[in-house]
Each structure stands twice: as C-alpha cells, then as structure tokens.
Amino acid sequence: MLKPLLLLQSFLFCLFNVVFVGGRLIGGGFSAEENPFTPKASLVRYWNKEISADKSLRSEFLISKASPLNAVDSATFAKLAAQNSLPTRLPDFCSAANLFCFPDLTPSLEKHDDNVKFSVYDQKNFTSYGNARAAGADSFKTYSKGNNGAIDTFRRYSRNAAGHEDKFTVYGERGNVDEKDFNSYGTFGAGGAGDFTNYQNDVNDPMSRFTAYSDGGTGRSQTFKTYTHDANAGNGQSFTSYSKKGNASPNEFASYGDSSNVIGSDFKNYGEEENAAKDTFTSYASGGNVPLNNFKNYGESVNAANDSFTNYGGGGGNVPQNNFKSYGVSGNGAVDTFANYRDKANVGDDSFSGYAKDSNSGTVKFTNYGQSYNPGSESFTSYGKGSEGQKISFKTYTPNSTFKDYAKNGVAFAKYNVSSIGDGKTVNKWIEPGKFFRESTLKEGTVIAMPDIKDKMPKRSFLPRSIVSKLPFSTSKLAEVKTIFHVGDNSSMEKIISDAVTECERPPSVGETKRCVGSAEDMIDFATSVLGRSVVLRTTESVAGSKQKVVIGKVNGINGGKLTKAVSCHQSLYPYLLYYCHSVPKVRVYEADLLELNSMTKINHGIAICHIDTSSWSPTHGAFLALGSKPGRIEVCHWIFENDMNWAIAD
C-alpha cells in the first residue's frame, strides 16, 4: 500500500499535469517554483482541459498574459469585487494585477518665486501656481515624456500675471493616453505669451482641456505649434470659454494635429466677447485621418475679430469633418478667411450652421475652398441670416454643397461648381505603407513594406475569471465602472471605458460572430465555441522589420491555403486586458517568414489574414483608399500585430 504522502504527490501530479524541464513552461505545464493555485496555474489547467490539439509552445503566448496575482491576492480581490468594495483598494489592486489605472492626484501648492525650468518632470497638479507673476518665464521641457496614463493639471496658473511667459517644449511626447488639464490658466494676464511647441506629439489617445484659458487677458499671445503631430486616436483637445472677454490677444495654431489619426478638437464658447482678436489656423489637421473639429459658439459677440484658416484640413487628409455652429454670431466688423481649406482632402463633411448670424459688417472669404481629390459635402444652414453690411465671397469653390435658408444679399459666387482637381484617384498619404495588401503579395521573394506592428497600448494583464465575472461591463452600468476605477466625469478614462463598452455592445456586422473577453478563459471559450476544441493559437513572432522593407520568405497557408474558419482577437483599451474577438466568413490565414532586405536572413515570422469577402465594408475603409478599389471587388489582407492573435482550426 502506498504511503499517504506518496498518494498525495501522485494526486497532485495528475491533477495539475506538472511538467518540469528546467523551470520552463512545457506543453502547458508550470514550473516547480509556481504555486499551483495561482490564476496562471489555473489557466494552464483550463487550456489542457479545453484544447485538444497538440500542446504547442505557442500556448505560452496566451499564458504569459494571465493575471500575475498570487493565490492569496486573487482570492482577496475576488471577495472585494463580490462585495462591491474594490474602490477602497484600487491602487493596490491596479498594482498587483498589472492594470492600467490613472493615479489619484492631490493638489500641489508649491511656491516658486523665481523663474523655474521643469525638466524630466511628470504627474503633477499645479494649483494657484505663478499667480501675479511679473515678467520672467516658466519652462516645461521633456515633461511627461513617454509615460502611460500621465495626468497633469494646471489650475489657476499664472493668474493676473504681467508679461510672464510659459513655454511647454517637448511636453508629453510619445506618451500613451495622456490627459492634460488647463483650467483658469493665464486669466486676466497682461502681455506675455503661452507657447506650446512639440506638445503631445506621437501620442496614443491624447486629451488636453483648456477651460477658461486666458480669459480676460490683454495682449497675451498663445501659440500652438507642432501640436499633437503624428498622434493617434483620442478626444484630442477641447477649448471651452477660451480667451473670453480677451483684448487683442492673438492665438496661433500652426502645424496643429498634422498627420494625426482620428483626432478631435472641440472649440466651444471660444473667444466670446473678445475685442480685436486675431486667431490663425495654419496647416491645421493637415494630412490627418478622420479628424473631427467642432467650432461651437466661437467668436460670439466679438468686436473687430480676424480669424484666418489657411491650409486647414488639407494636405491629403482623409474624411475630415469640420462643424461650425453659431460661429461669429452677433459679431461686429469680423473678418474670416478660409484659404486652401481642405485642399486635396479625401471626401469629408463640413457644416456651417448659424454662421455669422445677426452680425454687423462681417467679411468672410472662401478662396480655393475644398479642392478635393474626392469631393465631400458642405452644408450651409442659416448662414449670415439677419446680418447687415456683410460681404461673403466664394472663389473657386468645390461642388457638392447645400445652401439652406441662406442670406441672399452680400454674397458673391465666383467660379463656383468648378471641377474638383485630380483624376478621382484616392488619397492614401495617411495610410501607412503595407498596412493593407493583396493576397498575391504573399509569395516567396516578394519585397514589401512592413507597417508599424508594435503594440502601443499600455501593458496590462487579464483578470482571473473569478474577478472579472463580478465586475460590471455595460453601458447601463458605466457609473458603477467609473466608481470602481476612480474615473472622473469628462475624463480621458471615462471616454476610454465608454468607447470600449460601446464597441463591445455594437451589433455584429453581416456574418460576424463577436465577443469581448477580459479573461483568458473567456477567450478560450469563445474560440472553441466557434472552431471546436482542435485549434491552434498564432501571433506574429515579434516587431522586427516594422516600418521597413522586408522580403517574404517561406509561406504556409493554413488549411492548405483554402478558405477556413478563424477567430481574430484585437486589443481594446481598457483598465484590464480586454480583447475584441470575432469571426468573419470567407478568410484565408497565412504564416510567412520575413527576411531582412539585404542579408536575406530571417528576422520575423508573421501571421496574416486575408478577407476574401469585402462586400459589406464601407467604401471609405482605409483598405480601399490604399489599394484603390471598392467593396466586394478585391480581397484585403493585413498582418496580425504585436499582442493580437489568430485562432484557427488545427491542420
């Protein structure tokens, strides 16, 4: 008869399928040093139970994303989640579980009597800083560079200052999900300048809020130069009650939002009751992808204001949307100039509603407006209505415009309805080379451009199913989610959470099966429910070759290169690791060696998926803009990016 100790050892070996080889995960086992009751060990057992295909080492990719919580913390936080008490331990929870959470900042009341240079600085709340300063300058250089979830707040900063300058240089560059708040900044200041240069460039999901910024100022200039260049997604910037009742305070937006992807700017109650204001928008949102700019109640009741929009939204931008609502209402002697506006843009939509309504002696010039490769649409509603002495001129203006309830007097059209420039070809400047390609490209010896496949989202881990199953996740319970993660109203994190939940609740497209998963076990369940238990998980091996030309090496078509079933899982930005997993019909999956261009040595092993049926895709999808076709006419292929993954039936 076996001794009790030997019986226990035998039982544990069978239960946990332990395989010990130098402490390394082999075939879904776990190392001798690891507690078998951790979330990671639990996931290993779940994989072995649910996946019947050979236990390839590729399973380690998913296992590496398991929660790092130890057994005790996992049980503790699961209990807190069940009791709705996680908010009381949020910092500990975020740290131990490797989550993405914004810090809870407390006001900083530091006093600085002299000029200060802030270098290599981040995560600060400046309250009542620099008030009543005379002359001098504060400079912020290399501030919050490359951080994840950096929050900086400037409240009542430089209030009542005279001739004081603030310089933000290389601020928030290459960060991820940055949030900057300027509230009551520079109010009632006289002279001086605020200079934002290289601000939030190359940032993923940026947000900046300027509220009551420079209100009541006199002769104080603000410059935004090379602002959010090459940024990606996010709310962008909001200017609310900016320069209200200001006097001769020019604002310059130069190279603002250039080459950015899906960046929004919101100008609300901007420049209200200003006197002799001069705002210039030069090369604003040039070459951007789907930028959205809102000008609401901008320049209301101003006197002798001069706004200039030059090379705005052009430069090969894609689908820009600019909304001017109640812009310049009740103004006096205002001059607005739109020159080379949306030049060479692709499609897009502009709306002018209640623009210059009830104004006096206003002048609006539209010169070379909307000379697009692919014309978009413009709508003018109640434009200039009720105004007196106005002068509005349209010179070389594009077609596809609607004028409704428009003032008939004082409006001149010259060369209106001219043909749009170009030959109707799509503009693909914003689309990164190699992001989309044809199936014929996947042949050995082909030289291709590799897009940037690097994962730019904050590093996070899955939550154990025992915790994630107890957390709310729906639009109807956003308030509860915000409470758990200490999310403020109108914050970046609120939008991140709202966007992710909304996308997860979106009805599937034609033929699509979808599910959002916050635990590895849930991902396994979804993949096996679609494909069965004999599945293989694949992902691109590394980011080597990104943004370079590479050579296609040996290519292997999954399922013999025939149409197959597959599940693709793409990251969504959320406090814990969240994947949007979906299966679409008629796809082919390939794996290919990627070779260095000159040495022809292997540098990567990529996974690509080709969508054979694109008939339900939008005509403005980036794939068609890049490849020059229309829905249903071509197949479209793309690589699986870093940390995304593809599940397919085992060969």
Side-chain angles (χ1 to χ4, degrees):
M1 178 181 293
L2 289 173
K3 294 182 179 181
L5 178 61
L6 292 177
L7 280 172
L8 176 62
Q9 290 175 337
S10 177
F11 169 74
L12 288 175
F13 184 88
C14 295
L15 176 62
F16 300 127
N17 188 27
V18 179
V19 181
F20 301 137
V21 181
R24 187 165 66 96
L25 286 167
I26 293 294
F30 50 88
S31 67
E33 295 83 5
E34 187 171 340
N35 186 321
F37 299 102
T38 63
K40 185 175 182 179
S42 176
L43 174 59
V44 170
R45 295 192 296 275
Y46 199 79
W47 176 282
N48 292 339
K49 173 175 172 288
E50 298 297 327
I51 305 297
S52 63
D54 290 340
K55 306 297 188 290
S56 69
L57 291 177
R58 181 58 63 191
S59 65
E60 292 185 13
F61 174 75
L62 183 65
I63 293 168
S64 70
K65 300 185 181 305
S67 174
L69 289 171
N70 59 42
V72 173
D73 283 346
S74 181
T76 299
F77 289 123
K79 182 178 180 180
L80 290 172
Q83 297 172 342
N84 298 320
S85 299
L86 267 182
T88 63
R89 295 281 305 277
L90 182 66
D92 295 339
F93 179 50
C94 290
S95 176
N98 188 31
L99 308 186
F100 170 58
C101 305
F102 278 174
D104 293 331
L105 295 182
T106 56
S108 170
L109 299 176
E110 297 178 55
K111 300 295 183 181
H112 295 279
D113 297 327
D114 299 322
N115 299 334
V116 180
K117 295 181 179 180
F118 294 92
S119 183
V120 194
Y121 200 79
D122 70 281
Q123 303 281 61
K124 279 294 181 180
N125 184 338
F126 292 87
T127 302
S128 299
Y129 182 99
N131 289 347
R133 287 289 305 279
D138 292 330
S139 63
F140 296 81
K141 187 176 182 180
T142 320
Y143 188 107
S144 290
K145 184 175 181 178
N147 285 342
N148 285 332
I151 299 180
D152 300 312
T153 301
F154 296 84
R155 186 177 179 86
R156 295 192 301 275
Y157 188 105
S158 286
R159 186 182 180 94
N160 294 313
H164 185 67
E165 295 188 356
D166 303 307
K167 298 181 179 180
F168 295 83
T169 308
V170 196
Y171 186 104
E173 187 177 46
R174 297 178 184 174
N176 193 29
V177 199
D178 281 352
E179 183 172 318
K180 317 296 183 188
D181 289 329
F182 294 84
N183 192 358
S184 301
Y185 185 110
T187 52
F188 305 110
D195 190 358
F196 295 81
T197 307
N198 295 320
Y199 187 102
Q200 287 195 313
N201 291 342
D202 198 19
V203 173
N204 182 45
D205 210 356
M207 172 185 270
S208 296
R209 297 189 193 88
F210 295 85
T211 306
Y213 186 107
S214 202
D215 280 8
T218 299
R220 179 176 172 83
S221 63
Q222 318 292 342
T223 302
F224 295 83
K225 190 174 183 180
T226 320
Y227 189 105
T228 60
H229 184 81
D230 285 326
N232 179 51
N235 295 330
Q237 292 74 44
S238 63
F239 296 85
T240 304
S241 187
Y242 186 109
S243 288
K244 182 177 181 179
K245 295 184 178 179
N247 182 44
S249 297
N251 297 292
E252 179 184 358
F253 296 83
S255 299
Y256 184 108
D258 283 6
S259 303
S260 293
N261 180 47
V262 201
I263 292 292
S265 294
D266 193 1
F267 294 83
K268 187 176 182 181
N269 295 325
Y270 181 109
E272 185 178 0
E273 299 181 41
E274 268 195 305
N275 180 47
K278 183 179 180 180
D279 297 336
T280 58
F281 296 82
T282 307
S283 296
Y284 186 107
S286 179
N289 175 40
V290 201
L292 173 60
N293 302 300
N294 293 317
F295 295 84
K296 186 175 182 181
N297 295 329
Y298 184 110
E300 184 173 358
S301 302
V302 299
N303 181 43
N306 189 328
D307 295 335
S308 175
F309 296 82
T310 307
N311 295 326
Y312 183 108
N318 180 54
V319 200
Q321 298 182 60
N322 303 297
N323 299 315
F324 294 83
K325 187 174 183 180
S326 299
Y327 183 110
V329 172
S330 302
N332 180 44
V335 177
D336 295 328
T337 302
F338 295 83
N340 297 322
Y341 186 104
R342 291 212 313 131
D343 189 37
K344 299 181 181 179
N346 181 48
V347 200
D349 176 27
D350 291 348
S351 62
F352 294 82
S353 178
Y355 189 107
K357 184 179 180 181
D358 297 324
S359 62
N360 180 41
S361 299
T363 299
V364 184
K365 302 175 183 178
F366 293 88
T367 306
N368 295 326
Y369 183 104
Q371 296 286 76
S372 305
Y373 281 117
N374 288 318
S377 63
E378 290 84 27
S379 61
F380 294 83
T381 306
S382 298
Y383 189 104
K385 187 176 181 181
S387 59
E388 294 183 4
Q390 68 169 347
K391 183 178 180 181
I392 300 174
S393 60
F394 293 87
K395 186 177 181 181
T396 319
Y397 191 88
T398 190
N400 296 335
S401 301
T402 302
F403 293 85
K404 184 177 181 181
D405 197 15
Y406 190 89
K408 307 302 180 184
N409 298 322
V411 182
F413 294 89
K415 297 183 179 180
Y416 180 75
N417 267 357
V418 297
S419 298
S420 58
I421 64 175
D423 55 6
K425 292 183 179 179
T426 54
V427 179
N428 61 10
K429 175 182 176 181
W430 69 271
I431 301 172
E432 188 178 11
K435 186 171 184 179
F436 303 104
F437 51 91
R438 300 294 300 274
E439 194 173 15
S440 58
T441 303
L442 292 169
K443 290 185 178 179
E444 190 169 356
T446 302
V447 177
I448 65 166
M450 195 73 178
D452 184 3
I453 63 173
K454 186 177 181 180
D455 173 20
K456 294 182 174 61
M457 291 191 183
K459 304 302 181 185
R460 296 151 296 152
S461 298
F462 279 123
L463 282 177
R465 180 182 271 177
S466 60
I467 296 177
V468 77
S469 62
K470 297 177 177 64
L471 299 181
F473 189 87
S474 69
T475 52
S476 63
K477 295 184 177 180
L478 283 179
E480 296 177 38
V481 177
K482 289 170 60 178
T483 298
I484 291 172
F485 292 105
H486 295 187
V487 177
D489 293 339
N490 302 314
S491 64
S492 295
M493 185 61 80
E494 180 185 49
K495 187 175 188 302
I496 288 169
I497 290 173
S498 176
D499 286 351
V501 174
T502 300
E503 177 62 13
C504 288
E505 291 183 346
R506 174 186 58 79
S509 58
V510 178
E512 180 187 35
T513 304
K514 62 187 279 284
R515 182 183 177 187
C516 286
V517 297
S519 74
E521 291 89 346
D522 288 339
M523 181 182 286
I524 291 172
D525 285 352
F526 177 75
T528 55
S529 70
V530 174
L531 305 173
R533 297 179 60 204
S534 181
V535 293
V536 175
L537 171 63
R538 297 179 176 88
T539 186
T540 297
E541 190 173 276
S542 71
V543 297
S546 288
K547 299 193 290 186
Q548 301 174 14
K549 286 188 176 180
V550 298
V551 180
I552 299 293
K554 184 179 179 181
V555 179
N556 176 48
I558 307 304
N559 191 32
K562 301 175 183 178
L563 289 177
T564 187
K565 276 189 172 184
V567 169
S568 293
C569 294
H570 312 281
Q571 277 194 84
S572 293
L573 187 55
Y574 203 73
Y576 50 81
L577 189 58
L578 180 73
Y579 276 88
Y580 177 99
C581 294
H582 67 144
S583 176
V584 293
K586 298 184 178 179
V587 299
R588 284 194 278 265
V589 180
Y590 294 89
E591 52 184 349
D593 290 338
L594 301 177
L595 315 179
E596 201 274 329
L597 183 61
N598 297 316
S599 67
M600 297 296 286
T601 57
K602 178 184 174 182
I603 58 174
N604 204 346
H605 187 75
I607 305 300
I609 184 169
C610 293
H611 299 266
I612 308 306
D613 182 7
T614 60
S615 58
S616 63
W617 293 20
S618 168
T620 58
H621 192 286
F624 304 127
L625 299 174
L627 304 175
S629 189
K630 296 181 180 180
R633 294 190 178 182
I634 62 170
E635 84 294 339
V636 173
C637 304
H638 61 84
W639 297 104
I640 298 297
F641 284 22
E642 181 187 24
N643 286 323
D644 286 350
M645 57 193 86
N646 178 268
W647 298 76
I649 298 173
D651 287 344

